[in-house]
Amino acid sequence: MTHAVLDDALFAAMESSILPTEQAESLPPLCYTSAEFYEFEKDAVFAREWLCVGRDSWAPEPGSYFTSFIADEPIVVARGRDGVLRAMSSVCQHRGMLVAEGCGKTRAFVCPYHHWTYTLDGTLAAAPAMEKSCGFDKSKASLPLFAVEIWEGFVFINFDREAAPLAPRLAKVTEILKPYGMADAEGEKPSGEQRYPWNWKVMFENNNDGYHASKLHQGPLHDFIPSELAEFPDDLPDDTAGYYRTNRTLHPDASFNATQRAVLPVFTGLTDDERHRMVFANLPPTLSLVMTADAVIYLILRADGPESHRVDQGVLTAPGSSADPAFRHKMAMNMQAAGEIIDQDLHVDELVQVGLRSRFAPRGRYSWQEGAQRLFNSWLVPRYREAWARQQRG
C-alpha cells in the first residue's frame, strides 16, 4: 500500500536545510525520488519560476523558432514578423498534437494532424471545416502565451504571465557575471540534448559543489582550482533568483585543458583579480554556468520526471573568437578536458540517485566547502513552504 509522502512533518523537516552551512543538513531524500513530490514541485517551482529555454540567438530573425520541453510542458519560442521574441505552448488547441518540433524557420505553425494553423504570435489563423461546430470561436483558440524575459542573452519564460520580473532579483548575480559579457558572447546552438536518469536537483548540486573538486577531479585537468579556495557570498538578498560561488585559481587565466591556461581569447571585461578565479553560478531551476577566463559552459536543465531530466549543454566565447583559423582545434582542447571532468560528474550523479532511493539514504551534514548547497536549499525551501501552505488553504 502506498502512503502519501507530503505532510506537515516533511516541510517542517526541511527547515534544517536552510540553517547556516555549519549547522545545515541536506534535503530529505524523497525530494529527489518521489513521484508525488515531483508533482508537487511542478506547481511549487516550475509553474511559477522563470525557466531558461535557450539563447536569444537561437531565433535570430523573423520566422525562426526553437522548441523546448520542461516539466511536461512543450514550448515553442518564435520571433515574429515584428522582431519580437515570443514563447507559447506548442500544444494545438484542437486535439493536443504538437504544432512544432526541433527548430527552424517558418511562416506559420501548421498542426500536421488536422492543419489548424497558427501565426508566429500564436493566433489561430485557420481551422478547416469547423464552420458547423456550434459556438466555436476561433479567437478563443490561440496558443497560450507565456511571459518572456531576456537575461544576458538567455531566454527565460514563465507560465505565470503576472510573475514579477526576473532581472531585478538577479542584481548580485548579474554584477559578478558582468565581466563575461554573455549577451554579446559567441556560441552555436547545441546540436542535441542529453537525458540523464537522476533528479534535476542532483545535477544542480553537483554543478556548484566546490567540495568534490579536489577529490573526484584530482589530476592535471583540475588541480589548479583547489576546493580550499572556494568562496561563497554572504550578501545575497532573500528574494534572489540565483546564487554563485567563486573559486580562486593557482595562476591567472586558468582554463580546462591540458595546458591549464586559456587558449581562446580572454573575456576583455575581466580585471587582473578576476582573471585569478572562476565563477560557478546557478539560476534554478534551469540554468547552470561555469565561467573560465576564455569560455562559459552553460547547462540548461529541463526536468521531465522525478528521477530524470534533459540537458542542453553549450559554450560561449568572447566576440570574434571563432575568426581564429585554429578556433575549432583550440575549442576541442577545452572540450576534451571538460568532457573528462563531466564524465566523472555524470558517473557520480547517477550513483547518488541510486543511493538516494535507499532506505539508508542520509540527510547528510555539509562541509564549509558546500556553501552553495545551502544557498540552493535557501532558494528551494521557501518555495516548497509557500506551495504547501497554498495547498492546505485549498
Side-chain angles (χ1 to χ4, degrees), residues 168-187:
R169 294 185 293 122
L170 283 174
K172 285 288 184 181
V173 178
T174 302
E175 181 182 345
I176 203 76
L177 302 185
K178 183 178 180 180
Y180 297 90
M182 288 188 293
D184 300 316
E186 297 182 352

Side-chain angles (χ1 to χ4, degrees), residues 109-384:
F109 296 110
V110 180
C111 175
Y113 201 3
H114 300 101
H115 284 204
W116 282 34
T117 302
Y118 300 87
T119 64
L120 293 171
D121 65 4
T123 301
L124 179 62
M130 291 295 292
E131 66 277 0
K132 294 183 180 181
S133 299
C134 296
F136 174 69
D137 184 348
K138 191 171 66 173
S139 68
K140 296 180 180 179
S142 297
L143 298 177
L145 285 171
F146 310 138
V148 174
E149 191 165 333
I150 312 296
W151 176 83
E152 294 293 331
F154 289 99
V155 180
F156 285 80
I157 66 106
N158 200 313
F159 299 127
D160 178 5
R161 296 192 67 184
E162 304 302 318
L166 173 66
R169 294 185 293 122
L170 283 174
K172 285 288 184 181
V173 178
T174 302
E175 181 182 345
I176 203 76
L177 302 185
K178 183 178 180 180
Y180 297 90
M182 288 188 293
D184 300 316
E186 297 182 352
E188 295 183 355
K189 185 181 186 298
S191 58
E193 66 178 19
Q194 293 84 40
R195 190 167 189 263
Y196 298 121
W198 53 86
N199 185 271
W200 67 276
K201 294 186 291 297
V202 170
M203 194 77 159
F204 252 100
E205 290 172 347
N206 179 80
N207 289 352
N208 207 341
D209 174 30
Y211 189 32
H212 79 282
S214 292
K215 294 84 175 172
L216 178 65
H217 303 314
Q218 184 178 18
L221 296 180
H222 210 290
D223 285 349
F224 53 85
I225 179 170
S227 296
E228 60 267 23
L229 297 184
E231 299 174 345
F232 306 94
D234 57 8
D235 60 350
L236 291 175
D238 291 340
D239 68 342
T240 184
Y243 59 96
Y244 65 90
R245 71 175 167 93
T246 57
N247 214 115
R248 307 299 294 180
T249 56
L250 298 183
H251 55 74
D253 298 338
S255 189
F256 294 122
N257 60 61
T259 73
Q260 301 186 357
R261 296 179 182 274
V263 294
L264 299 171
V266 171
F267 291 102
T268 57
L270 295 171
T271 66
D272 287 343
D273 183 64
E274 290 163 345
R275 290 169 70 168
H276 279 79
R277 73 182 187 193
M278 291 186 184
V279 181
F280 301 79
N282 280 356
L283 281 64
T286 49
L287 182 61
S288 188
L289 302 165
V290 178
M291 332 281 291
T292 70
D294 64 343
V296 174
I297 300 174
Y298 65 86
L299 293 88
I300 300 173
L301 281 67
R302 300 184 282 113
D304 66 358
E307 296 190 84
S308 62
H309 68 286
R310 308 176 194 214
V311 173
D312 302 306
Q313 179 181 310
V315 182
L316 302 175
T317 57
S321 298
S322 59
D324 182 351
F327 174 78
R328 180 171 60 88
H329 304 286
K330 293 176 179 179
M331 178 62 78
M333 288 177 59
N334 280 2
M335 296 317 297
Q336 179 180 352
E340 289 191 29
I341 294 166
I342 290 170
D343 284 346
Q344 293 170 337
D345 285 326
L346 298 182
H347 179 66
V348 165
D349 288 346
E350 186 167 8
L351 296 186
V352 164
Q353 188 68 35
V354 172
L356 287 167
R357 298 187 199 116
S358 168
R359 71 184 69 183
F360 303 111
R363 293 193 66 189
R365 295 292 303 278
Y366 293 127
S367 159
W368 71 264
Q369 295 174 4
E370 294 173 286
Q373 311 310 342
R374 187 262 179 189
L375 292 172
F376 187 29
N377 295 343
S378 296
W379 186 91
L380 283 168
V381 170
R383 287 159 175 79
Y384 293 157

Side-chain angles (χ1 to χ4, degrees), residues 13-27 363-371 373-374 377:
M14 293 181 184
E15 298 300 318
S16 62
S17 295
I18 59 176
L19 294 171
T21 305
E22 62 271 18
Q23 301 173 33
E25 59 183 347
S26 57
L27 291 168
R363 293 193 66 189
R365 295 292 303 278
Y366 293 127
S367 159
W368 71 264
Q369 295 174 4
E370 294 173 286
Q373 311 310 342
R374 187 262 179 189
N377 295 343

